Amino acid sequence: MSGRTRRKLRVVFCASEAAPFVKTGGLGDVAGSLPHELRRCGSKVSVILPKYRRIPAEYRDKMNHVADFWMNLGWRNVWCGVDHLNYHSIDYYFIDNEDYFGRDTIYGDFDDGERFAFFSKAITECLGRVPELAGTDILHCNDWQTALSCVFLREFYKGLPGYDNVKTVFSIHNVKFQGQYGDEVMSDICGLADTAAAGQMYTAPKTINFMKGALLYADTITTVSPTYAEELKTPFYGEGLDDIFRDRAWKLHGILNGIDTQEYDPRTDSGIASHYSVDDLSGKAACKAALQEELGLEVDPSRPLAVMVSRLTKQKGCDLVQYALGQLLDRSVQVAVLGTGEGQYEDSLRYFDWKYKGQMCARIDFDSKLSHRMYAGADLFLMPSQFEPCGLSQMISMRYGTLPVVRETGGLKDSVVPYNKFTGEGTGFSFANFNGDEFAATVLNACEVFWTDKDAWEGLMRNAMGADFGWRRAANQYLDAYHDLHPEVIPYNKKRNR
Ligand code: GLC
């Protein structure tokens, strides 16, 4: 496609969360950043989100009501409002329904299946109801909460005026969460019982699977790293859908996420003790001392400080951390963990905090300001995930010159270059197997470099800080995928001359 001028595509990007309006995890970061880069790369992008009560008043107060209609959802007839806000040159449309979104929770309610089936149907309906969305070329859905839009579009809207040109892209951010619900959801809520989808969306008797619907109905499937795209085709990572990924491999693309390089920049971050850059690393020492002080750790530049900022779940490798902590602390490594999650991990981290006062700190909390100070003040960042579709924290830590120790899986493998002591290459450290001793040995190996080879360490910091984790590359790959679905017709005489 390169070399030819491409038509400006009209893209509708939909997700269940997007920063800065509402964010619970990595999906919110991606949906907050990617649409802006797609716009900068030359497409017309609109974003559709639920109008949750939790969206801060500073945004809610500026929204304008632009449409409302009644829409059928199975046998129900439900009201749907659409509010609009232009934010940083992007048109955001918020789907309004007090019953579904006028509550304090985002996910985890008994009726999530119904709430997100409603949201997905409303998205498809909007393409025909909101005049500014007329002529949409690409409907880009993300994760199970918007998966049904791909199914509804083909089953209920294809052939209607305004819908024929729409192609669907479905992005998987985590295949662990698929949106699986009882049989009754199919007919009572989705109204799909008499359609082709009915036979295909089951993953077990009486269990329908929203994500499976999108995998079968979307025109293109993407996931958030090339390695994860390969892993999805295996039983270990595919979470029961690996056969579909193998079958649809021809339309599955892995596109590595980026990060918001303005928000995460040690040259300008207003929340850290001292600024620094790839050309002048000196400020990092002040960040480390300030962090050690703040966390009640011994202020000592010669001790390696390893941090972890994460949801405390099995996926993130908390079992390995729990297993390896004793070995690390006995070698005088300092460790600090920030995050919340499963009780067993929270409790064991509190125990280590108590046992190793002054050397280990557990902050069982969600605190994004402190996370910046940890990214900036640490030497090492621990991320021994069991699986990791992409992972953003390892890229953020590299941006701050904090070297990641990762397991070679998913996006961790695609974004961290392991240290090669013969060439000095690398941006961090990695290990292959999900094994606590291997993890501990890799961290201690990294500490060995920290203790004995200052030049190599600084070289690694510079490599990590210099790596390009901006969104431009990914946005261009998404645009290529969109354009593949809308190949331009080349006039016959031009074809002959090529
Ligand atoms: C999910 C994945 C994470 C990924 C993020 C954004 O949270 O677990 O690996 O970085 O989505 O795509």
Side-chain angles (χ1 to χ4, degrees):
M1 272 284 176
S2 55
R4 270 193 292 135
T5 324
R6 301 199 288 197
R7 177 166 77 85
K8 184 170 188 151
L9 291 179
R10 299 173 76 93
V11 180
V12 171
F13 189 94
C14 49
S16 55
E17 54 180 88
F21 307 106
V22 58
K23 182 183 119 175
T24 69
L27 170 63
D29 286 308
V30 174
S33 305
L34 175 58
H36 292 280
E37 198 61 35
L38 289 169
R39 185 186 70 79
R40 285 191 280 267
C41 290
S43 47
K44 158 103 180 71
V45 191
S46 308
V47 179
I48 304 186
L49 298 168
K51 188 180 174 192
Y52 300 109
R53 177 186 290 169
R54 265 188 35 194
I55 295 176
E58 57 174 304
Y59 304 117
R60 292 176 69 96
D61 293 348
K62 290 192 200 117
M63 295 178 188
N64 288 316
H65 183 78
V66 288
D68 54 72
F69 44 83
W70 290 86
M71 172 182 89
N72 74 311
L73 197 64
W75 51 262
R76 300 159 177 76
N77 211 15
V78 291
W79 185 86
C80 176
V82 185
D83 287 6
H84 168 261
L85 176 72
N86 186 281
Y87 178 76
H88 291 184
S89 308
I90 292 222
D91 289 315
Y92 286 84
Y93 294 94
F94 294 88
I95 302 298
D96 188 17
N97 178 301
E98 276 295 300
D99 245 10
Y100 294 132
F101 303 130
R103 43 178 110 170
D104 291 330
T105 38
I106 307 288
Y107 311 124
D109 273 342
F110 75 98
D111 58 348
D112 276 5
E114 179 171 344
R115 294 168 70 220
F116 290 104
F118 162 78
F119 179 51
S120 302
K121 189 91 187 280
I123 291 164
T124 26
E125 193 75 27
C126 276
L127 302 186
R129 300 269 194 172
V130 176
E132 290 74 22
L133 299 181
T136 296
D137 296 298
I138 297 288
L139 177 62
H140 188 154
C141 303
N142 292 275
D143 273 353
W144 70 269
Q145 298 92 338
T146 51
L148 283 180
S149 296
C150 305
V151 181
F152 291 142
L153 189 82
R154 274 231 329 250
E155 292 290 1
F156 299 138
Y157 296 83
K158 258 300 182 253
L160 294 179
Y163 284 93
D164 269 350
N165 199 36
V166 187
K167 301 282 185 196
T168 49
V169 174
F170 180 66
S171 293
I172 299 158
H173 297 262
N174 195 340
V175 83
K176 187 95 182 163
F177 307 104
Q178 301 175 4
Q180 309 212 48
Y181 295 97
D183 213 9
E184 68 289 350
V185 173
M186 194 71 153
S187 48
D188 274 10
I189 293 161
C190 301
L192 287 167
D194 300 320
T195 64
Q200 304 193 19
M201 278 174 54
Y202 286 85
T203 30
K206 297 196 181 305
T207 308
I208 68 156
N209 185 315
F210 287 10
M211 187 177 271
K212 185 176 178 199
L215 300 183
L216 297 173
Y217 277 69
D219 295 306
T220 285
I221 306 166
T222 72
T223 190
V224 289
S225 69
T227 295
Y228 195 55
E230 290 307 311
E231 290 172 343
L232 286 174
K233 297 175 206 161
T234 65
F236 181 79
Y237 292 99
E239 297 286 338
L241 298 174
D242 48 296
D243 54 335
I244 304 185
F245 290 115
R246 285 194 298 276
D247 199 46
R248 311 275 152 146
W250 55 275
K251 63 170 174 180
L252 171 64
H253 308 273
I255 302 179
L256 190 71
N257 286 332
I259 53 168
D260 183 334
T261 47
Q262 275 180 2
E263 182 183 350
Y264 300 108
D265 187 347
R267 289 174 307 178
T268 52
D269 191 330
S270 58
I272 61 177
S274 174
H275 291 150
Y276 56 96
S277 69
V278 70
D279 303 316
D280 178 8
L281 299 172
S282 54
K284 189 156 168 88
C287 292
K288 177 169 174 181
L291 182 66
Q292 286 173 319
E293 168 108 51
E294 175 179 2
L295 299 180
L297 304 172
E298 191 190 331
V299 180
D300 179 354
S302 71
R303 284 206 179 193
L305 169 53
V307 300
M308 180 172 183
V309 178
S310 176
R311 276 185 291 123
L312 303 175
T313 61
K314 199 170 176 59
Q315 176 195 339
K316 299 293 175 180
C318 287
D319 293 301
L320 299 197
V321 174
Q322 210 166 261
Y323 177 89
L325 257 177
Q327 292 184 46
L328 304 181
L329 293 164
D330 287 342
R331 291 286 307 276
S332 85
V333 178
Q334 292 182 337
V335 180
V337 180
L338 170 66
T340 58
E342 289 169 30
Q344 51 159 333
Y345 302 126
E346 295 187 349
D347 289 346
S348 79
L349 289 168
R350 283 194 191 100
Y351 162 78
F352 280 104
D353 176 307
W354 165 80
K355 185 164 177 213
Y356 292 86
K357 268 263 154 311
Q359 201 193 336
M360 154 83 200
C361 171
R363 283 286 170 94
I364 308 302
D365 198 2
F366 182 89
D367 182 340
S368 92
K369 295 214 165 84
L370 174 57
S371 77
H372 280 242
R373 297 194 290 277
M374 288 176 72
Y375 286 121
D379 300 302
L380 287 168
F381 189 87
L382 309 181
M383 207 161 169
S385 303
Q386 191 186 33
F387 65 93
E388 197 60 75
C390 177
L392 304 173
S393 331
Q394 81 281 11
M395 298 194 232
I396 299 173
S397 73
M398 284 187 266
R399 185 119 173 102
Y400 284 86
T402 297
L403 303 180
V405 178
V406 301
R407 190 169 95 78
E408 289 153 15
T409 181
L412 299 177
K413 187 170 177 190
D414 294 333
S415 59
V416 178
V417 182
Y419 173 51
N420 178 332
K421 69 174 175 184
F422 301 106
T423 62
E425 277 169 335
T427 57
F429 302 86
S430 67
F431 63 100
N433 297 301
F434 194 69
N435 174 298
D437 287 311
E438 214 173 303
F439 170 55
T442 310
V443 180
L444 291 172
N445 188 24
C447 293
E448 207 58 43
V449 183
F450 176 89
W451 280 315
T452 60
D453 195 341
K454 194 163 183 285
D455 291 344
W457 189 268
E458 286 196 6
L460 287 173
M461 283 173 71
R462 290 208 166 83
N463 295 346
M465 293 174 76
D468 175 14
F469 294 122
W471 271 105
R472 181 56 54 99
R473 170 200 39 79
N476 279 320
Q477 285 175 276
Y478 280 108
L479 282 177
D480 286 345
Y482 297 163
H483 278 281
D484 282 348
L485 296 174
H486 285 284
E488 255 103 333
V489 181
I490 306 167
Y492 179 68
N493 57 351
K494 289 228 175 101
K495 254 190 208 164
R496 258 202 324 201
N497 294 339
R498 286 205 313 158

